[in-house]
Amino acid sequence: MDVFYREWERRSPGETRDLSRSRALADALGLLNPGVPVLVVVGSKGKGTAATYASAYLAAAGLRVCTVTSPGLRSDRDRIRVDGRALSAAELAALRDVLEEAIAALPPRSHGYLAPTGLFTLSGVRHAREVDADAIVLEAGMGGRSDEVSLFSPDVAAITPIFLEHAHILGDTPAQIAKEKAGVAGPGTVVVSAPQSAEVSEALGDVQRMRPGDSGLPLGLLPAGLGRTNAELGVVAARRLPGIAEPPPETLRDVLASIVLPGRLSWHDVPGTATRLLVDSAVDRTGVAAALAAARRAWDEIDHVVVCLPDHKDLDGAIAELEGLPVTFARLPWPRLGFTRPLPPAWDVVDAADVTRESLAALGRRVVVLGTVYFTGHVLGAVDASTERLFVTAAVRRPF
């Protein structure tokens, strides 16, 4: 069993992640003081976009940047990147071997487990050291204080919009969830927040507030829709890292213009067919509405929608927005994600494994794919979408 998932797969009912065990592992690997600036991204939605734009900004400033995001887009290699490029299979295998040896030297676990997202976070920090990275950008897996990103005393914490998600795990209200996520900050951390609801803003207290337009970037360098705010947040947060100089305008423009965000209002042709997909990792009513609006701006009509929303996502909101559209609901096979809530009787229901290149093409020429990142990643794989690079630096463009 893969070392990243072994303890999680063997967990007992009710067992939770063991942050103290993760800290012991990080200490054994000599990672608790990374030695370079660390930017952490927490929040309920848009963390990957903020992390990507922060990383691209830092790369444009001439830094070598190691980025850890969660989950992977098409594979676990996607979780750790240097200057936008995913790990090679050999690099991931080498990190796996390091973890295997270090975990074997820990005392036997008595309670709690090493979470996969945490192990990828530790591996990313390890890889940053191996490649002499100048800065590290870490996307939290789910929480803040309870997530392994909190082990690294971030210089800057960026908080994307927070809403009621993972209730009874991170908190029972948006305010409680906000406090848990903001708990990632240490005494010297600069905290920058995207616009929030009044309840969340009050819970966050005295943090720096980002307003739309604060990045100073032209709209043409920012994604459309809801991703724009999170992209600006990433840039504003990156500027707060110590010792960062503003990139040359032409370099910044070139690097930001090269960004691709697969699974975030991204367009993909189904190979060998006339079908085109709009894929977006929307998990609430606002996100679904934004994705449908983007589709309707491009198309006269939508032939079909494929959606995958576990029980803890905003299924009711999605149902309201999708009314009147032909919908197929896909269920993932993982016990940790429940799919028990009632669905509209007109919706078709399939297993996610049955969503293939051929089945997507059979739904029409204009298909919208929505839902959790695990599912949109599956669809990206089905159509062989490229996820090797999220942006290109000037150094990569330079001929050898």
Side-chain angles (χ1 to χ4, degrees):
M1 194 179 301
D2 192 295
V3 66
F4 289 104
Y5 299 93
R6 182 181 299 139
E7 292 195 6
W8 178 79
E9 291 283 359
R10 293 174 176 173
R11 72 195 186 283
S12 303
E15 193 175 9
T16 59
R17 67 200 303 161
D18 186 348
L19 198 61
S20 63
R21 185 169 167 81
S22 295
R23 181 181 293 277
L25 178 59
D27 189 32
L29 292 169
L31 303 179
L32 290 178
N33 182 13
V36 297
V38 176
L39 188 159
V40 164
V41 183
V42 300
S44 297
K45 183 65 177 170
K47 297 190 296 292
T49 298
T52 298
Y53 272 78
S55 300
Y57 178 90
L58 295 170
L63 280 66
R64 174 172 287 182
V65 186
C66 185
T67 309
V68 182
T69 55
S70 177
L73 295 172
R74 289 186 55 182
S75 75
D76 285 336
R77 293 193 301 107
D78 297 333
R79 291 175 180 258
I80 303 173
R81 298 175 181 270
V82 176
D83 292 344
R85 179 189 64 81
L87 286 183
S88 68
E91 287 170 325
L92 182 61
L95 290 172
R96 184 183 291 117
D97 291 344
V98 169
L99 274 187
E100 190 81 64
E101 182 177 352
I103 293 174
L106 292 178
R109 69 187 183 107
S110 56
H111 69 281
Y113 57 86
L114 293 170
T117 54
L119 291 175
F120 282 107
T121 296
L122 268 58
S123 296
V125 176
R126 167 79 181 205
H127 190 65
R129 187 172 67 192
E130 291 175 349
V131 300
D132 292 325
D134 302 303
I136 300 172
V137 177
L138 303 176
E139 175 191 345
M142 182 170 67
R145 181 186 300 111
S146 61
D147 193 276
E148 284 77 6
V149 295
S150 66
L151 299 176
F152 299 104
S153 300
D155 297 274
V156 177
I159 305 179
T160 69
I162 291 173
F163 50 81
L164 187 63
E165 188 181 32
H166 301 294
H168 312 303
I169 299 175
L170 300 179
D172 295 329
T173 67
Q176 291 175 356
I177 293 171
K179 289 180 179 178
E180 201 285 334
K181 289 182 182 289
V184 72
T189 303
V190 175
V191 181
V192 185
S193 174
Q196 306 283 356
S197 67
E199 178 186 1
V200 169
S201 292
E202 182 179 359
L204 291 178
D206 186 20
V207 301
Q208 296 185 19
R209 314 284 176 173
M210 189 214 78
R211 297 170 299 179
D214 278 358
S215 70
L217 297 174
L219 294 181
L221 291 178
L222 296 168
L226 301 177
R228 181 169 297 161
T229 294
N230 295 310
E232 286 204 89
L233 175 67
V235 171
V236 170
R239 285 192 175 119
R240 300 293 195 274
L241 278 182
I244 302 303
E246 185 73 14
E250 183 177 346
T251 302
L252 179 61
R253 182 181 65 248
D254 287 349
V255 174
L256 294 187
S258 75
I259 291 176
V260 293
L261 297 169
R264 301 177 182 94
L265 287 181
S266 59
W267 300 87
H268 307 275
D269 293 319
V270 177
T273 77
T275 298
R276 189 159 174 78
L277 308 179
L278 173 59
V279 182
D280 190 60
S281 302
V283 294
D284 66 355
R285 183 170 187 169
T286 302
V288 171
L292 294 178
R296 287 170 174 138
R297 286 193 295 270
W299 297 328
D300 293 335
E301 61 181 312
I302 297 169
D303 293 327
H304 209 92
V305 178
V306 184
V307 62
C308 175
L309 291 175
D311 290 344
H312 67 281
K313 303 297 185 183
D314 183 16
L315 180 58
D316 292 339
I319 290 172
E321 290 297 327
L322 295 171
E323 185 176 2
L325 289 168
V327 176
T328 294
F329 187 82
R331 289 173 169 157
L332 291 162
W334 304 326
R336 70 180 187 277
L337 296 178
F339 291 89
T340 62
R341 298 174 64 186
L343 302 172
W347 286 16
D348 292 330
V349 180
V350 301
D351 292 332
D354 294 326
V355 179
T356 63
R357 184 178 299 186
E358 293 75 20
S359 70
L360 289 166
L363 297 176
R365 293 189 300 111
R366 295 153 296 199
V367 178
V368 178
V369 177
L370 304 170
T372 181
V373 174
Y374 298 104
F375 177 68
T376 56
H378 166 76
V379 173
L380 293 174
V383 300
D384 198 26
S386 176
T387 58
E388 285 298 302
R389 278 198 176 273
L390 297 186
F391 59 86
V392 179
T393 67
V396 172
R397 287 196 183 90
R398 193 180 304 125
F400 293 98

